[in-house]
Amino acid sequence: KSHSNLLQVKQRAGLLFKHKKIEELGDLLSALDKHQDQPSTILYRSLIEGYLAELRHQPELALEAYQQIVDRGDCLLEEALIRIAGLGIDAQDKRIAHLALQCLSQLNPYYLPLFAEILRLQGDMIAAVDAYSTYITQFPTDVLVQMKLATLYTEQGVYEGAEMMLNFILQRQPDFAPALGLKRRLSEMSAN
């Protein structure tokens, strides 16, 4: 029962954060004082404290709160890493964003395209290609990520890779306009 109550706390805290309800988040934090299993509330407290710090424009305090969750590596890890990545991006701190997205992509392959994008922005094109490729291997129907990989190949002058990726896309969706457009552009580039 107490575990399900805490799952409700997580959901409620997320909604309150989304709607920027500072006072209600504070009330929720105070309500945790009455929970019968105090040790199990520690990470939920850290999550709410992080949310409150973000809403109060105190990113350093938010990072500290989320880091407590990361250090324990428990049930709220994904939420904490998402918030850390967001704080890193907002502060244009590439190192923090990179580390958080790297951890997220190891937890859940869903985050691989985001990690690939930060790698691309940092100029690590080989690692970006690897991240996109790993994702595509696991999710072979995600055409948008396939297009991102084809575009990255094109930007890097790896035209054979771009051509292969575009052929793969067009094999499944012969009239996919973005792929047709990029393929046309590749043909023009090779003609020059």
Side-chain angles (χ1 to χ4, degrees):
K1 181 181 175 188
S2 71
H3 188 67
S4 67
N5 287 345
L6 289 176
L7 290 176
Q8 290 173 353
V9 167
K10 173 185 159 187
Q11 293 170 340
R12 178 131 175 88
L15 279 171
L16 293 173
F17 176 67
K18 179 181 175 184
H19 295 288
K20 301 179 180 181
K21 303 283 186 178
I22 294 174
E23 187 176 328
E24 289 87 345
L25 274 169
D27 292 344
L28 187 58
L29 187 61
S30 296
L32 287 177
D33 291 338
K34 298 174 185 132
H35 195 277
Q36 67 243 23
D37 183 9
Q38 283 299 304
S40 66
T41 66
I42 293 169
L43 296 177
Y44 294 88
R45 288 179 175 286
S46 294
L47 183 67
I48 295 169
E49 288 168 356
Y51 286 165
L52 284 167
E54 278 193 73
L55 292 174
R56 293 175 178 147
H57 307 289
Q58 300 169 317
E60 298 83 16
L61 290 176
L63 281 173
E64 286 176 25
Y66 298 138
Q67 187 61 48
Q68 291 174 12
I69 296 169
V70 171
D71 290 345
R72 303 243 343 219
D74 215 326
C75 60
L76 300 174
L77 182 59
E78 191 169 339
E79 287 83 1
L81 288 168
I82 290 168
R83 299 308 320 147
I84 290 170
L87 287 166
I89 291 167
D90 289 346
Q92 296 182 350
D93 187 328
K94 293 175 187 173
R95 186 186 63 80
I96 288 176
H98 175 101
L99 288 172
L101 287 169
Q102 182 179 28
C103 290
L104 279 167
S105 69
Q106 291 168 356
L107 279 178
N108 185 340
Y110 171 78
Y111 297 102
L112 279 166
L114 296 172
F115 183 50
E117 187 60 20
I118 200 141
L119 290 166
R120 185 189 69 77
L121 291 171
Q122 292 175 333
D124 192 348
M125 300 309 167
I126 293 170
V129 166
D130 286 345
Y132 278 132
S133 297
T134 300
Y135 177 85
I136 290 168
T137 301
Q138 295 180 45
F139 302 96
T141 59
D142 192 332
V143 178
L144 296 178
V145 173
Q146 293 167 4
M147 279 302 299
K148 286 184 178 192
L149 180 56
T151 303
L152 180 60
Y153 277 139
T154 303
E155 290 170 354
Q156 295 305 303
V158 183
Y159 302 124
E160 288 177 23
E163 188 81 29
M164 282 177 32
M165 192 82 262
L166 291 169
N167 288 339
F168 180 76
I169 294 167
L170 292 170
Q171 195 173 33
R172 292 179 160 182
Q173 296 184 24
D175 57 347
F176 190 62
L180 290 169
L182 187 55
K183 190 162 178 130
R184 198 174 317 107
R185 207 170 102 213
L186 278 174
S187 297
E188 292 167 2
M189 292 166 73
S190 63
N192 292 334

